[in-house]
Amino acid sequence: MDKWLMNKRTFETTEDEPSTSNLNIKRKKVTRKYDSEYLKIGFSWNEDIDDPRPQCIICYEMLANESMRPNKLRRHIDTKHFDLKNQPLSYFETKLKELKTSKTKIKQFTKVNEKAMHASYLISLRIATAGKPHTIGENLVLPAIKDAVGVMFGDKSSKDVEMI
């Protein structure tokens, strides 16, 4: 019975041939570039040079960089927008203009206060290092900060604390 369980072949490695477990194989991340021809399929890109990703101009869905191949982009259009796959280029150009104008409008109306965000991160860091649940910040820390600022600096400053 043991002769069936034991592997008869033995693999030996010599000094000249390193074993595959000792090899440090480093794989380079392949970053695909956007091609203007993808607009004919219905895709634009996120305009990020470091991590370019295709974006569907119909549903605004961002795909992975590996999906920046014509066949994968067509598959998205065929499965999710099958009624729009034979549209002319002018249709996709107008959809792209709509996408760009909506992005600029969103940027105008959503301005993030950098100081409030930094304060929020510092509070979250203190809560995490103390090992307390994150809800303590919402239930205890933030109301205490609002009370202290309201007493010390007035109601106008306490409204600024609400941005945290």
Side-chain angles (χ1 to χ4, degrees), residues 7-155:
N7 191 0
K8 292 185 179 181
R9 288 186 268 171
T10 59
F11 297 100
E12 296 179 12
T13 58
T14 62
E15 296 289 326
D16 298 321
E17 299 175 8
S19 66
T20 56
S21 61
N22 294 334
L23 290 177
N24 292 330
I25 300 173
K26 293 183 181 180
R27 295 185 182 185
K28 184 179 177 184
K29 182 181 175 186
V30 177
T31 304
R32 301 190 181 281
K33 304 292 183 202
Y34 177 73
D35 186 12
S36 59
E37 294 292 316
Y38 296 159
L39 187 59
K40 292 179 183 177
I41 303 171
F43 278 87
S44 179
W45 67 304
N46 63 348
E47 298 178 2
D48 184 8
I49 296 171
D50 296 330
D51 184 26
R53 299 173 68 193
Q55 182 177 18
C56 178
I57 58 175
I58 299 167
C59 64
Y60 307 137
E61 184 178 351
M62 292 281 251
L63 303 177
N65 182 270
E66 294 84 28
S67 298
M68 204 176 296
R69 296 182 189 173
N71 60 345
K72 290 188 178 184
L73 299 178
R74 279 190 205 100
R75 182 175 60 192
H76 173 85
I77 296 294
D78 290 342
T79 57
K80 296 196 176 182
H81 314 291
F82 56 88
D83 54 334
L84 302 173
K85 67 180 178 180
N86 294 325
Q87 292 291 332
L89 179 62
S90 60
Y91 174 78
F92 293 123
E93 288 173 344
T94 56
K95 293 297 270 183
L96 181 61
K97 287 179 185 175
E98 290 175 11
L99 173 67
K100 289 186 177 183
T101 55
S102 67
K103 280 184 180 179
T104 56
K105 287 180 183 177
I106 289 173
K107 285 182 182 177
Q108 289 174 351
F109 292 113
T110 57
K111 292 184 179 178
V112 177
N113 188 344
E114 296 292 326
K115 290 183 179 180
M117 188 186 326
H118 185 70
S120 174
Y121 288 149
L122 291 175
I123 292 168
S124 298
L125 178 65
R126 287 189 182 268
I127 292 170
T129 54
K132 301 294 182 184
H134 70 280
T135 56
I136 198 169
E138 299 167 359
N139 299 334
L140 180 65
V141 176
L142 190 58
I145 291 172
K146 287 180 187 177
D147 293 340
V149 169
V151 169
M152 296 294 290
F153 303 111
D155 290 333

